[in-house]
Amino acid sequence: MTDHRPASDARQLMSVVLAGATILLVVHALGRFIYTPLLPYLVGDGQLTASEGASVATWNYLGYLIGALLAVRWYRPDQIRISLPVAMGVHVLTTLAQTQVEPVAALSGLRLINGIANGVVFVQAPALILEWLVRRNRTGASGLVYVGVGVGLLVSSFLVSGTADMLSGPARWWPAALLSIPLALWATWRLVGLDVPARIQRDDGSYADKGPLLDRASIPLFFSYAGAGLGYILPMTFLPLLTKTQLPDGHWLVDGSWLLVAVVTIPTPIIWSFLGSRFGDLPALRLNYLIQFLGALAVVVWPGPLGIVLCALLVGSTFVGTVLLTQRIGRALHPHQGPRLSAAMVALYSVTQMAGPWLTRQWLDAGGTLVGAFTLGAVALGWGLLLALFVPRPEDWHAR
């Protein structure tokens, strides 16, 4: 009698990973990062100024922080099964509402609420999947979930550029809103039914929510991750706008810079997951920070097409890797605290993401340039690299 279980297990694994990738595509690309390629058009339509655009982005990142903090509270799998579908419903409704509002204050409010939903989902969905994978000894597949971010960036680029001449103002949100609905329904349905214990226990039978998250090993990892949040968010929010200010209308990079970011992001979860498995997650993370630092610095050293292309390629090929490697290192340092640890790290990460657009607005209002703002991103990534050097290897930490 033929045993079909391996094939069935493989199909189940791919179905879960695909659902996770889809849900991140919806909330993180169609909900959050599509604002980056949209921003130059919204400014061109007269709905926003560059400074107002930075302010709207800040409200979205504040929402992301609130969502991550809620996920710190609602981290158990039984709680995730309730909060995840609620957050996805909020995402869909706010994205639809964005098609109807033009005042900056109203858009800011919707981006705040949308950010809350994004923060909850971006913490809970990968954390739930990681726990499901750990129970099946397939932790190495966790990075595949983040492929959805890269694919989503590519989809968002085509949605914006493909409808640029047909839509204007708030109507530019319609493609993202309509695509989100069916994808959100299927992915949410698939994930809420995962077989994961209601509460996660340690080997001694105690519950994971009883122990501390911060110690001499995790503190430098937390602060390193904070530098990553501030460092990557500036190019990921303002690179297309910087391109539009530096290059003439019609230059291929005006739309192409975001397309480059999207294309190189797609394979990066697989690449960084492999590098982490082959050489260790911690050495891979340090290399990741170095490459990302050079990418943010490129537009400062070489203003114009060369710097823009290098920034798109180097930052686009690393920022997702930072997330998945840091999450895996954190869980290795604190086994059995996956969802709780993930929520705490994303909360700190989101604080610095929120600070990036806010600092950019202050800089622009004071007469500074976007190129100057990118210098801050490079410094933050250098900080992240420095702190990553002080994170111990999990095996050394547990053997002490």
Side-chain angles (χ1 to χ4, degrees), residues 18-69:
L18 180 60
T22 300
I23 215 165
L24 294 190
L25 183 157
V26 171
V27 298
H28 219 54
L30 300 182
R32 184 179 195 183
F33 280 128
I34 197 171
Y35 181 72
T36 302
L38 275 176
L39 182 55
Y41 290 103
L42 296 176
V43 171
D45 294 339
Q47 184 178 354
L48 300 171
T49 65
S51 178
E52 289 171 340
S55 177
V56 170
T58 301
W59 283 107
N60 184 248
Y61 302 146
L62 173 60
Y64 189 75
L65 168 61
I66 295 170
L69 291 173

Side-chain angles (χ1 to χ4, degrees), residues 262-280:
V263 169
V264 299
T265 300
I266 293 173
T268 57
I270 300 172
I271 294 171
W272 288 107
S273 187
F274 168 77
L275 290 175
S277 299
R278 178 69 176 82
F279 301 106

Side-chain angles (χ1 to χ4, degrees), residues 9-25 122 125-126 129-130 132-133 138-152 265-275 277 320-321 323-325 328:
D9 290 345
R11 286 195 297 269
Q12 185 182 36
L13 174 66
M14 291 309 299
S15 174
V16 172
V17 169
L18 180 60
T22 300
I23 215 165
L24 294 190
L25 183 157
F122 195 76
I129 293 171
L130 180 58
W132 185 84
L133 291 171
R138 298 299 298 270
T139 307
S142 61
L144 298 177
V145 171
Y146 295 95
V147 172
V149 177
V151 173
T265 300
I266 293 173
T268 57
I270 300 172
I271 294 171
W272 288 107
S273 187
F274 168 77
L275 290 175
S277 299
V320 175
V323 175
L324 72 92
L325 290 170
R328 292 201 324 205

Side-chain angles (χ1 to χ4, degrees), residues 304-326:
L306 177 60
I308 290 168
V309 169
L310 287 174
C311 182
L313 294 178
L314 298 182
V315 176
S317 64
T318 49
F319 79 95
V320 175
T322 313
V323 175
L324 72 92
L325 290 170
T326 303

Side-chain angles (χ1 to χ4, degrees), residues 84-136:
L84 185 64
V86 170
M88 289 304 297
V90 171
H91 161 79
V92 170
L93 292 175
T94 52
T95 306
L96 283 168
Q98 285 166 181
T99 67
Q100 304 300 311
V101 301
E102 189 163 349
V104 175
L107 180 60
S108 297
L110 288 173
R111 296 301 291 160
L112 171 69
I113 299 170
N114 188 271
I116 294 173
N118 184 8
V120 170
V121 174
F122 195 76
V123 170
Q124 292 186 343
L128 185 67
I129 293 171
L130 180 58
E131 295 304 322
W132 185 84
L133 291 171
V134 166
R135 286 167 56 82
R136 289 156 179 79

Side-chain angles (χ1 to χ4, degrees), residues 230-231 234 300 355-356 359-360 371-381:
L230 177 58
L234 292 171
V300 179
L359 289 171
T360 299
V371 172
F374 274 62
T375 305
L376 174 62
V379 171
L381 289 164

